[in-house]
């Protein structure tokens, strides 16, 4: 009877070892898991600014940062909602050269910037300008600190 019990225990042990070996072999042959999906635009990149946020996201961000009044929110919502399709149309317009597209987008952004600034108090406007500088937005003279990559480096400073 002892030999029969040893036989059963040995068989069970052999089956377990064989099963574990098969699982290890299958796991080794399995393809690696797919990479995680990319984050939505601007998630994890607050230093880049509003970019292509939809009008409500831009308004929410500005409301949180600048403590906008209900009246300011209503007026900015209308402005952002009006300009969003115009910007989208410019980005999708294949009849424009890159230079024409850039010029028209800069003009539209400038108009929006002027109207936005006119709706803010002096304190809000100062903070908003500071936020824009951190985002690296283009000023009136060209690329901000995060833009213009790929062009020639600036000339060395002369002593």
């Amino acid at each position: 009877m002892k030999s029969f019990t040893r036989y059963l225990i040995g068989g069970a042990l052999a089956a377990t070892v064989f099963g574990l070996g098969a699982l290890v072999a299958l796991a080794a042959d399995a393809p690696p898991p797919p990479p995680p999906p990319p984050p939505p635009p601007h998630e994890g990149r607050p230093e880049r600014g509003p970019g292509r946020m939809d009008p409500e996201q831009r308004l929410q961000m500005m409301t949180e940062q600048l403590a906008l009044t209900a009246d300011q929110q209503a007026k900015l919502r209308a402005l952002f909602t009006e300009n969003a399709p115009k910007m989208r149309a410019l980005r999708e317009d294949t009849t424009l050269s890159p230079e024409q597209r850039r010029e028209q987008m800069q003009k539209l952004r400038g108009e929006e910037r002027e109207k936005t600034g006119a709706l803010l108090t002096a304190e809000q406007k100062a903070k908003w300008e500071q936020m824009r500088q951190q985002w690296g937005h283009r000023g009136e003279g060209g690329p901000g600190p995060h833009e213009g990559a790929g062009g020639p480096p600036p000339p060395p400073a002369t002593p």
Side-chain angles (χ1 to χ4, degrees):
M1 190 65 146
K2 284 185 179 182
S3 65
F4 183 71
T5 305
R6 284 185 185 167
Y7 177 74
L8 282 177
I9 292 174
L13 184 59
T16 302
V17 169
F18 178 76
L20 287 175
L23 284 175
V24 169
L26 286 175
D29 289 340
H42 306 290
E43 183 177 304
R45 296 183 343 203
E47 73 282 356
R48 292 299 306 260
R52 291 190 193 166
M53 288 184 187
D54 70 35
E56 285 302 316
Q57 290 171 322
R58 289 180 65 196
L59 183 62
Q60 180 180 354
M61 184 270 308
M62 288 184 71
T63 299
E64 291 170 3
Q65 297 291 320
L66 303 174
L68 299 176
T69 66
D71 185 51
Q72 288 173 316
Q73 290 178 46
K75 290 176 180 176
L76 287 171
R77 177 178 287 115
L79 176 63
F80 296 161
T81 302
E82 177 186 332
N83 281 347
K86 294 176 185 177
M87 292 297 278
R88 187 177 314 112
L90 282 173
R91 280 193 302 272
E92 295 171 357
D93 189 346
T94 58
T95 64
L96 297 173
S97 71
E99 185 61 34
Q100 291 171 322
R101 182 177 297 114
R102 184 172 23 263
E103 287 173 7
Q104 290 186 27
M105 290 181 97
Q106 285 178 340
K107 180 181 177 194
L108 188 58
R109 283 187 196 114
E111 291 169 359
E112 183 178 90
R113 186 170 42 250
E114 286 180 30
K115 291 176 182 177
T116 300
L119 295 171
L120 302 176
T121 65
E123 184 179 308
Q124 289 171 323
K125 189 172 181 179
K127 186 170 182 180
W128 177 59
E129 290 296 336
Q130 187 177 37
M131 290 164 45
R132 292 184 70 249
Q133 285 180 350
Q134 290 173 345
W135 298 329
H137 279 254
R138 292 178 188 215
E140 297 302 316
H146 297 292
E147 298 183 15
T158 53

